């Protein structure tokens, strides 16, 4: 396997050799077949690399971008030079879209998938078109464009349920994507129902001990935890862990994912020792699999820091949050939207320690990155606004706090369900500021909204 940085160059070289051989009137048939085999081998090598990514291979953003560009180029080769069937080059363009998505090249992901729709309009069957539309929905979801994401994924699901009833795993994958949008927009009952539908299909098609079932149980556990149904969340997580451990052994990263999700669950249950124990086990697995400087390690460190924060161990929490942020910056770059949540966590820790000056600097950076990466009306921006408002409140700047809470509430109400925790948190915080400012008349309509939303 060529190094990821040279994958595109190798593919281009093999393509040039094939074009030269196939258009050379003096070339023997043997030479032409050899050039064709070499090009097809390079395409297959790249497909294998993409499968390894799907299985958990961790790459730097630069290497991942090279892989995405090679997938996009390979799709063009399959379509225009080898004249392969639509399914093959469509798969390559969808792979390119997913790889661009992973390295936050959102416009390129969208472009690759829209290109698939454009070039395949006369070749795609309904299933192929639906799968590309579903992939576009995942791109919109990653950008926080949830309305578009839901529309695309729901349209794809409707098509698949109508014409691909003989492929329940394909339908279950679309249900899972849709449930994830419901989760992201805090429509937790819908998310729960949709994940459960997916699990039934996955159990019937792949068996109750399959990875697909384990992944969906993990997602369902997250939804249960968000509804404070902690015993149900624990049962879902533990079943997922048992399946993954049987399938992949005690040192697989897929196991670390499930263990990682148990950390906040045990924190919510005040089982801090268990939270730390599963966190350290997940951390050890991820350090072995991906190395101590990986994004996966940063995610687990972040969860362990939240446990320390809950124990009011601010020194330990700050050290872990800072380390997590450093790793994310090293992996994704200092201007990546993927570090916004880490910046917010560091800022919250500074506030808890009373270091308001540092918190202000970090939150300003988080706000700027969120706007550039996800847009001014995104949930990431609303989170930075909410935390900035809390900082103003801590500093006694209640007019500024109320203004910022109000703006965060406006964004969250456009994104989330009225009864969701982000909306309710913003309303409660705004009411608190209005009471501090002796403006009770502004509280009544807000409290009415809380009552009407349940």
């Amino acid at each position: 396997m060529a190094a990821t940085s040279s994958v595109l160059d190798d593919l281009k070289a093999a393509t040039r050799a094939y074009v030269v051989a196939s258009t050379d009137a003096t070339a023997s048939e043997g030479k032409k077949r050899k050039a064709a085999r070499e090009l097809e081998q390079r395409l297959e090598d790249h497909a294998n690399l993409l499968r390894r990514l799907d299985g958990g291979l961790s790459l730097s953003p630069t290497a991942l971008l090279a892989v995405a560009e090679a997938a996009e180029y390979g799709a063009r080769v399959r379509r225009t030079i080898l004249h392969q069937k639509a399914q093959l080059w469509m798969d390559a363009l969808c792979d390119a879209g997913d790889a661009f998505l992973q390295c936050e090249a959102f416009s390129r992901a969208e472009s690759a998938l829209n290109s698939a729709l454009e070039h395949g309009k006369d070749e795609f069957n309904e299933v192929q078109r639906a799968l590309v539309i579903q992939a576009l929905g995942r791109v919109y979801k990653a950008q926080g464009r949830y309305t578009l994401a839901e529309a695309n994924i729901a349209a794809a699901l409707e098509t698949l349920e109508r014409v691909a009833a003989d492929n329940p795993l394909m339908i279950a994958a679309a249900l899972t994507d849709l449930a994830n949008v419901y989760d992201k927009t805090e429509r937790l009952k819908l998310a729960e129902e949709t994940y459960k539908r997916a699990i039934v299909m996955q159990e019937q098609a792949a068996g109750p001990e399959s990875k697909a079932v384990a992944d969906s149980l993990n997602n369902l556990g997250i939804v249960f935890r968000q509804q404070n149904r902690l015993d149900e969340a624990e049962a879902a997580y533990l079943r997922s862990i048992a399946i993954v451990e049987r399938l992949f052994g005690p040192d697989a990263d897929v196991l670390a994912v499930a263990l990682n999700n148990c950390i906040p669950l045990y924190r919510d249950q005040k089982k801090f020792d268990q939270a730390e124990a599963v966190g350290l086990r997940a951390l050890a697995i991820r350090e072995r699999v991906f190395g101590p400087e990986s994004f996966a390690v940063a995610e687990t460190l972040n969860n362990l820091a939240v446990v320390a924060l809950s124990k009011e161990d601010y020194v330990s929490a700050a050290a872990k949050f800072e380390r997590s942020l450093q790793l994310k910056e090293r992996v994704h770059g200092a201007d990546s939207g993927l570090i916004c949540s880490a910046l917010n966590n560091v800022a919250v820790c500074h506030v808890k320690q009373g270091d308001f000056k540092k918190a202000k600097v970090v939150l300003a950076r988080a706000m700027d990155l969120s706007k550039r990466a996800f847009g001014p009306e995104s949930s990431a921006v609303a989170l930075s606004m909410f935390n900035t408002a809390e900082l103003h409140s801590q500093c006694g700047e209640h007019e500024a706090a109320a203004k910022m809470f109000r703006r965060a509430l406006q964004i969250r109400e456009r994104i989330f369900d009225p009864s969701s925790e982000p909306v309710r948190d913003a309303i409660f915080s705004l009411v608190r500021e209005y009471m501090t400012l002796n403006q009770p008349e502004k509280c009544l309509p807000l409290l009415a909204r809380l009552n009407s939303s349940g």
Side-chain angles (χ1 to χ4, degrees), residues 56-337:
L57 176 67
S58 182
L59 295 177
S60 71
T62 302
L64 195 54
L65 183 61
V67 169
E69 288 173 339
E72 188 175 39
Y73 181 82
R76 191 159 65 247
V77 169
R78 290 178 185 276
R79 182 176 64 84
T80 63
I81 295 176
L82 296 178
H83 304 292
Q84 292 181 337
K85 291 186 296 186
Q87 183 68 52
L88 291 173
W89 60 259
M90 182 205 78
D91 286 346
L93 273 175
C94 285
D95 287 338
D98 284 340
F100 280 131
L101 179 58
Q102 287 183 56
C103 54
E104 291 187 277
F106 298 128
S107 62
R108 295 192 68 175
E110 196 172 340
S111 175
L113 294 168
N114 278 322
S115 175
L117 289 176
E118 172 62 25
H119 292 301
K121 60 186 176 185
D122 297 324
E123 297 183 58
F124 285 173
N125 59 36
E126 285 190 275
V127 170
Q128 290 166 336
R129 182 174 178 80
L131 292 175
V132 179
I133 289 171
Q134 182 184 340
L136 265 173
R138 289 195 294 271
V139 174
Y140 296 140
K141 176 171 64 70
Q143 293 173 285
R145 298 159 69 185
Y146 296 123
T147 302
L148 268 176
E150 183 177 347
N152 274 47
I153 296 167
L157 175 62
E158 187 277 328
T159 299
L160 295 173
E161 288 181 319
R162 180 167 46 81
V163 301
D166 60 341
N167 195 330
L169 288 179
M170 189 180 288
I171 294 170
L175 284 168
T176 299
D177 280 342
L178 187 59
N180 196 246
V181 174
Y182 293 148
D183 181 9
K184 294 292 186 185
T185 52
E186 295 276 333
R187 288 174 288 172
L188 300 178
K189 286 296 182 185
L190 269 176
E192 178 185 341
E193 292 166 6
T194 310
Y195 278 132
K196 285 180 174 178
R197 280 185 63 198
I199 289 170
V200 169
M201 288 187 169
Q202 290 161 340
E203 287 179 329
Q204 291 172 348
E209 300 294 303
S210 64
K211 183 178 182 296
V213 169
D215 290 343
S216 291
L217 284 168
N218 203 40
N219 289 329
L220 184 60
I222 294 170
V223 172
F224 283 144
R225 188 180 73 80
Q226 288 174 294
Q227 296 176 81
N228 204 36
R229 293 158 62 184
L230 302 183
D231 290 343
E232 290 171 276
E234 185 173 12
Y237 285 148
L238 292 179
R239 185 182 162 200
S240 175
I241 288 169
I243 292 170
V244 169
E245 201 157 11
R246 277 195 293 272
L247 289 174
F248 301 101
D251 293 320
D253 181 58
V254 282
L255 176 61
V257 171
L259 291 169
N260 202 48
N261 286 330
C262 283
I263 303 172
L265 168 68
Y266 289 138
R267 183 203 69 211
D268 292 347
Q269 294 173 319
K270 310 296 183 189
K271 299 176 181 176
F272 297 127
D273 289 345
Q274 282 180 262
E276 289 174 345
V278 297
L280 291 172
R281 186 181 172 195
L283 188 64
I285 292 171
R286 290 184 153 180
E287 285 180 333
R288 279 197 301 272
V289 174
F290 298 125
E293 305 294 304
S294 64
F295 186 83
V297 166
E299 287 289 285
T300 301
L301 280 170
N302 184 80
N303 277 350
L304 284 168
V306 174
V307 174
L309 198 63
S310 299
K311 294 168 63 179
E312 299 184 2
D313 185 354
Y314 300 132
V315 174
S316 176
K320 289 181 174 68
F321 277 138
E322 290 281 3
R323 178 68 180 142
S324 176
L325 174 59
Q326 288 167 4
L327 291 179
K328 290 181 179 182
E329 285 178 321
R330 193 170 301 155
V331 172
H332 289 285
D335 291 326
S336 168

Side-chain angles (χ1 to χ4, degrees), residues 7 33 50 76 99 116 142 162 164 178 194 202 236 275 284 286 288 297 303 329 343 349 351 363 380 398 416-417 450:
V7 165
R33 284 195 297 271
L50 288 164
R76 191 159 65 247
R162 180 167 46 81
L178 187 59
T194 310
Q202 290 161 340
R286 290 184 153 180
R288 279 197 301 272
V297 166
N303 277 350
E329 285 178 321
L343 287 167
C349 213
V351 171
L363 282 170
H398 297 292
F416 300 116
D417 188 81
L450 278 176

